Amino acid sequence: MGSSSKPSDNPSKVIKTEPLDYKDAKWATLVSITFKDPEGKERLWESAERLTRPKGCDLDAIGVAAILDYPNEPHKTPHIVLQKQWRAPADAVVIEIPAGLMDDGESAEECALRELKEETGYVGKVIEGSFGVSPIMFNDPGFCNTNLKMIQVTVDMSLPENQNPQPNLEPGEFIETFTVPLTGLYEECVKFEKEGYVLDARVGTLAQGVEFAKRWKLA
């Protein structure tokens, strides 16, 4: 599954931007936080907050680092599953990993496998042990309270259900799934930017991690 389209192929664009009254907000809102600093001085902070976190849950969302596994081809370079999706706040096509918001009553692992199947068609398996599910991470803690867990998943490409994966996208979702070699992820990110895409920070961070491991021979 390759990367075919270019940013210029996507006709989506922002038509207008205007202030949003908090009473009309469905997904996020702004709050004013009063807090005391380490010296006891009272200060104010502005923050965005999601309105979608399930009640009783401490998690907003998950991201899926899905690696294609070829058990019948042990020397084949592993590929990572990526997506192209136009995003209104960025007014650009973004290179992303599969991701999504938590549903009521589901675990982070269940959410990850559900979103992977819905968005890409792939059937995956969460990696066993502590590496499979990351600690809770905050996307931009100086700006908002949104958090997530990264779920590491393998996709067994010898299984029949992964031979011709078909996504089941929701209305209004327009996602193109593709894969790139994991070892060349950083170089691919540099190329994506030159082609006019923008990068989701999770993709960029994964790419940097792979590059750190290569350059400093950590493995």
Side-chain angles (χ1 to χ4, degrees):
M1 194 179 295
S3 173
S4 56
S5 68
K6 301 293 183 184
S8 57
D9 296 332
N10 192 309
S12 303
K13 64 179 181 179
V14 172
I15 299 172
K16 66 177 179 178
T17 301
E18 56 189 348
L20 175 67
D21 191 297
Y22 77 93
K23 295 188 295 294
D24 298 323
K26 296 179 180 180
W27 306 102
T29 189
L30 290 174
V31 296
S32 176
I33 301 173
T34 303
F35 70 99
K36 285 186 177 181
D37 69 13
E39 296 177 342
K41 184 175 181 179
E42 193 170 286
R43 297 184 182 274
L44 291 176
W45 198 271
E46 294 178 359
S47 172
E49 288 192 353
R50 276 198 178 275
L51 300 174
T52 56
R53 184 180 297 181
K55 187 175 181 180
C57 182
D58 60 356
L59 192 63
D60 287 303
I62 53 81
V64 186
I67 307 301
L68 304 189
D69 182 31
Y70 298 88
N72 298 327
E73 302 175 72
H75 300 296
K76 188 178 179 72
T77 300
H79 280 55
I80 185 169
V81 178
L82 298 179
Q83 298 176 334
K84 295 177 180 178
Q85 184 171 192
W86 183 84
R87 294 290 194 175
D91 193 11
V93 179
V94 183
I95 303 297
E96 306 177 337
I97 55 172
L101 300 175
M102 296 283 292
D103 280 350
D104 286 329
E106 69 179 352
S107 67
E109 296 94 325
E110 291 168 339
C111 181
L113 296 180
R114 172 179 59 77
E115 289 288 352
L116 180 68
K117 182 69 166 60
E118 291 175 359
E119 293 187 353
T120 72
Y122 284 122
V123 175
K125 179 181 179 181
V126 178
I127 293 176
E128 295 181 358
S130 61
F131 180 63
V133 181
S134 79
I136 292 179
M137 306 176 184
F138 281 77
N139 298 359
D140 190 350
F143 170 67
C144 63
N145 72 334
T146 301
N147 63 20
L148 81 158
K149 287 186 176 184
M150 287 292 296
I151 313 299
Q152 282 60 248
V153 171
T154 55
V155 176
D156 187 341
M157 295 302 292
S158 69
L159 296 178
E161 54 264 40
N162 289 324
Q163 300 309 304
N164 185 30
Q166 298 297 318
N168 183 25
L169 301 177
E170 297 178 4
E173 281 190 322
F174 304 92
I175 299 173
E176 178 184 341
T177 297
F178 65 104
T179 68
V180 300
L182 182 59
T183 53
L185 184 56
Y186 188 82
E187 290 81 2
E188 291 290 334
C189 287
V190 173
K191 185 169 67 175
F192 288 139
E193 184 181 42
K194 290 180 179 178
E195 293 175 345
Y197 298 100
V198 300
L199 295 174
D200 184 293
R202 286 163 288 192
V203 174
T205 302
L206 281 168
Q208 284 184 296
V210 172
E211 192 66 13
F212 272 115
K214 288 166 59 179
R215 294 191 178 216
W216 278 272
K217 299 177 175 59
L218 302 180

